[in-house]
Amino acid sequence: MGKVYVSDIIEQPGGGRFSARILMLVGLAMVFDGFDYMIVSFTMPQITEEMQLGFIATGSLASFSLLGMLVGGFLSGYLADRYGRKHVMNASIMLYALLTVPVFFVTTYDAFAVCRIMSGIGIGAVIPLSVTLVSEFAPTRHRGAYITATKTFMMAGWVLAGLTAMFVVPNFGWRMCYLVGGFPFLYGVLMHFVMPESVQWLLSKGRTQEALGIVNAINASLDAPKEGGYTVDEIEVPNAEGGGQLRALVSKKYLKTTVGIWLVAFTTCALSYGLTNWMPTVLLQSGYSVGASYGYTTLMNLLGCAGAVVAGLAADRLGRIRSAYMAFLLAGLAVAFTAVFGFGGLMIPACALMGFAINYAYMSPAPITIEAYPTEIRATGQACVTTVARIGGFITPMAIGGALESGSTFSTVLVGVLVPLCLAALFTKLLIKTETKGVALEDLCGDTTVSNRTANE
């Protein structure tokens, strides 16, 4: 019998059950991650009133988390490619949970800033590692859906934050929300015992016996498992690329794609995070009640989950590039509709449409960022993309605050959002041209050659 990829084993009937288990384990971590990030948006109005903040300072309440996420996202990729996905992710979960709790006790703007920056390190680390880990266990034909589903769990956390705030804030005050945000620490401990390490990473590090144990666990979950399991000689081991992790990302081989992915990630994240963070406050200041403001924003996030799911399905059916173009067009139409009609009595359909469309646009490039790099630099590549994206997310809430403080209306701000959407489409067209739909991870980026695989069959 010739050698097989790990992807080949996962693709067999029944292999999806193991992949789905990984998705659910990682997905729940992303729900907690999304909750601890987004809870700031739903407590911004109360913090602003208590601390007597202006528009720019109010916008920075959300940006502090993103500043920490820049650091956490960047470091996590390097550490995960060096020491493994599992341990770095679990430690990050426990870190952000522990550092969310102190916000309950803060009384000053500066203390709030320090706490959110520190917890943001853990929040930012979990996101790229979750996507990387799920992608390396995902069936090839559904990899796009698995990748975007992982981030959809994060948006489910945004919805959970809104629902929690709707009950907790009026009854117990805004501070209690941050005590709730400490619960994921227990889940991080649990993940240490139930989450397997990435087989792709273990093989890339020469830890074949550990990888083989997980491969045979996957085999045991199949409808028709291979009798006796697999041996080391039957598993195709990817060829590692030499050179440093960061240097490889900007090498001649990957530079054009890397720049394209970074620019698209920057623009789409700026759009998604900027609008989502400001919606509760803008609605309150427009005369809506607390319940209506939180309810409309939660609706926006709920439809955002649907947009993320559609992004994955469309990427697997239409292809990564075509799906991205469709997403950018739909997001532009949704933003324009909200700017013209949203504050004229059509806020519910505007929030629903904009939540769906902007998160479809935000999630559509996600499969491309995973599939652009080989195993040994994949986590670093994903972490760098996430870091660049968070720069956009960090700047935008404060930029929107500055625009509002200068007298601009939120409708005018929405019109300005059309610019980054056009740029995202342009960057995709000029710099990201390779379609990766339906290609095994091992066949991407020269992990191992197709000719070698054919020779072994």
Side-chain angles (χ1 to χ4, degrees):
M1 177 180 177
K3 292 187 175 183
V4 297
Y5 292 150
V6 175
S7 298
D8 294 329
I9 301 171
I10 295 173
E11 287 289 333
Q12 295 180 40
R17 287 191 292 268
F18 194 93
S19 300
R21 173 175 168 255
I22 300 299
L23 177 61
M24 293 306 298
L25 287 171
V26 174
L28 191 53
M30 287 288 275
V31 170
F32 296 139
D33 192 88
F35 177 95
D36 275 19
Y37 168 73
M38 189 53 66
I39 199 61
V40 174
S41 296
F42 291 101
T43 54
M44 273 170 60
Q46 291 75 25
I47 297 172
T48 298
E49 182 178 358
E50 181 177 316
M51 298 185 183
Q52 297 295 298
L53 304 179
F55 281 108
I56 295 177
T58 297
S60 68
L61 294 175
S63 294
F64 290 136
S65 300
L66 288 160
L67 185 58
M69 290 166 73
L70 293 177
V71 178
F74 181 78
L75 291 178
S76 69
Y78 173 80
L79 294 173
D81 278 335
R82 192 173 183 88
Y83 301 111
R85 284 62 161 131
K86 169 185 172 178
H87 298 303
V88 179
M89 187 175 75
N90 294 346
S92 299
I93 294 170
M94 292 186 283
L95 177 67
Y96 77 66
L98 278 178
L99 294 176
T100 295
V101 174
V103 177
F104 178 85
F105 302 99
V106 303
T107 57
T108 66
Y109 177 78
D110 291 341
F112 181 91
V114 172
C115 289
R116 289 307 293 175
I117 291 171
M118 296 303 293
S119 63
I121 294 173
I123 294 171
V126 170
I127 298 170
L129 296 185
S130 295
V131 175
T132 301
L133 194 51
V134 167
S135 73
E136 293 175 342
F137 280 104
T140 298
R141 65 185 182 279
H142 299 309
R143 189 169 58 240
Y146 268 70
I147 290 170
T148 56
T150 306
K151 290 193 172 185
T152 303
F153 279 104
M154 178 181 69
M155 280 185 277
W158 296 2
V159 174
L160 181 62
L163 295 174
T164 301
M166 288 173 68
F167 172 74
V168 171
V169 172
N171 293 290
F172 303 100
W174 66 268
R175 296 174 184 276
M176 185 61 66
C177 293
Y178 294 90
L179 282 187
V180 175
F183 290 152
F185 179 85
L186 300 176
Y187 189 69
V189 175
L190 176 65
M191 284 280 279
H192 176 76
F193 299 99
V194 299
M195 186 71 200
E197 182 55 270
S198 164
V199 177
Q200 307 280 1
W201 180 81
L202 290 171
L203 290 174
S204 74
K205 296 299 182 181
R207 294 163 60 173
T208 52
Q209 289 300 326
E210 293 175 66
L212 192 61
I214 302 172
V215 167
N216 283 320
I218 298 172
N219 177 60
S221 72
L222 302 177
D223 292 344
K226 180 178 180 293
E227 187 175 350
Y230 288 88
T231 65
V232 173
D233 294 335
E234 294 173 318
I235 303 299
E236 182 76 61
V237 179
N239 298 318
E241 294 191 4
Q245 294 157 275
L246 294 176
R247 187 164 64 250
L249 295 180
V250 294
S251 65
K252 183 178 180 180
K253 181 176 182 179
Y254 298 114
L255 179 60
K256 188 175 181 180
T257 299
T258 295
V259 171
I261 290 172
W262 284 3
L263 291 173
V264 171
F266 179 93
T267 52
T268 55
C269 186
L271 168 67
S272 178
Y273 279 58
L275 297 182
T276 304
N277 280 313
W278 265 103
M279 280 306 291
T281 302
V282 167
L283 290 172
L284 273 173
Q285 293 176 350
S286 298
Y288 291 89
S289 67
V290 172
S293 300
Y294 286 2
Y296 291 167
T297 307
T298 300
L299 174 66
M300 184 174 168
N301 290 332
L302 187 61
L303 269 294
C305 293
V309 170
V310 169
L313 296 175
D316 284 337
R317 178 175 286 270
L318 303 176
R320 282 48 167 152
I321 305 299
R322 289 176 61 191
S323 175
Y325 289 148
M326 183 181 298
F328 300 147
L329 175 61
L330 183 60
L333 293 174
V335 168
F337 177 87
T338 304
V340 176
F341 302 109
F343 293 90
L346 296 175
M347 185 54 69
I348 293 178
C351 283
L353 180 59
M354 191 164 66
F356 176 88
I358 65 172
N359 284 292
Y360 179 11
Y362 174 45
M363 293 296 177
S364 61
I368 302 171
T369 66
I370 283 292
E371 296 163 347
Y373 306 112
T375 298
E376 59 273 13
I377 62 170
R378 185 171 297 124
T380 298
Q382 178 64 20
C384 287
V385 170
T386 303
T387 300
V388 173
R390 295 299 173 266
I391 295 174
F394 171 75
I395 294 171
T396 309
M398 291 188 293
I400 291 176
L404 295 174
E405 194 166 273
S406 67
S408 298
T409 65
F410 196 65
S411 293
T412 304
V413 171
L414 289 174
V415 173
V417 164
L418 296 175
V419 175
L421 280 171
C422 293
L423 290 175
L426 180 63
F427 297 146
T428 302
K429 175 66 175 177
L430 296 179
L431 300 173
I432 308 173
K433 298 180 179 181
T434 304
E435 182 56 65
T436 52
K437 170 190 171 186
V439 184
L441 278 182
E442 295 92 338
D443 280 331
L444 290 167
C445 311
D447 270 5
T448 185
T449 64
V450 177
S451 59
N452 285 344
R453 182 186 183 188
T454 305
N456 288 326
E457 291 180 346

